[in-house]
Amino acid sequence: MPTVANAVIGNWSIDPIVSWHTGFPLALYGSDDSGTGSPGSRPNCNGAVHYPKTTSASGLLWYDPSFESAAAPFTFGNCPAQGPVIGPGYSDVDLGMQKNFLFTETKRLQFRADFLNLFNHPQFGKPGGDGRITTSQDARELQFALKFYF
């Protein structure tokens, strides 16, 4: 490759990381109605879970908690230990780019650029007991570095 073209487009490295998964089942626990001293008993499930995913000033309503009710005193609820609510999924693309400028066989200058959450996709936290999500991970982060190897 010609020297000028190699200086511009040569010696680049691009390193993407793609992460994607659906949501995980969430455990629903309330107060200890069973009287066993457990951290919280399971509620009763009275129907299917609905996911309206509507926003308001108090957060994103991920699921409608009206499908569950408290278990009777000194009993255990019938909701499964993990689920039936499925939390938000996760999708993220991180990208690292680096360019090496070679001076001699042992000396080089390296420029790096790292883009975390490249497309600035929101990564929601776990919903609370009221079905609302009020947290998310940080937005896109960029970092640049210049390093001289000798």
Side-chain angles (χ1 to χ4, degrees):
M1 185 179 309
T3 306
V4 174
N6 188 41
V8 175
I9 61 173
N11 298 319
W12 276 98
S13 173
I14 298 175
D15 309 305
I17 299 173
V18 178
S19 302
W20 178 82
H21 64 76
T22 59
F24 292 111
L26 302 176
L28 302 176
Y29 293 108
S31 59
D32 181 22
D33 297 324
S34 65
T36 60
S38 66
S41 60
R42 297 188 303 242
N44 283 325
C45 289
N46 303 320
V49 180
H50 298 286
Y51 298 91
K53 299 180 186 174
T54 56
T55 58
S56 68
S58 59
L60 170 69
L61 181 62
W62 182 255
Y63 72 93
D64 183 4
S66 64
F67 80 96
E68 63 180 317
S69 63
F74 305 106
T75 65
F76 296 100
N78 64 4
C79 280
Q82 291 294 319
V85 175
I86 303 298
Y90 181 85
S91 63
D92 181 43
V93 176
D94 297 334
L95 181 68
M97 298 171 48
Q98 62 184 4
K99 164 89 169 135
N100 289 305
F101 299 93
L102 306 175
F103 297 116
T104 66
E105 189 174 315
T106 60
K107 294 179 178 59
R108 74 177 194 260
L109 183 69
Q110 182 183 75
F111 168 73
R112 284 189 72 102
D114 294 316
F115 306 91
L116 306 175
N117 194 3
L118 177 66
F119 300 115
N120 207 23
H121 187 271
Q123 309 299 335
F124 296 118
K126 178 183 168 189
D130 63 351
R132 295 192 184 282
I133 295 176
T134 58
T135 61
S136 66
Q137 290 185 7
D138 292 334
R140 175 182 337 158
E141 293 183 23
L142 310 176
Q143 61 185 18
F144 301 96
L146 194 60
K147 187 187 295 187
F148 183 67
Y149 291 91
F150 58 94

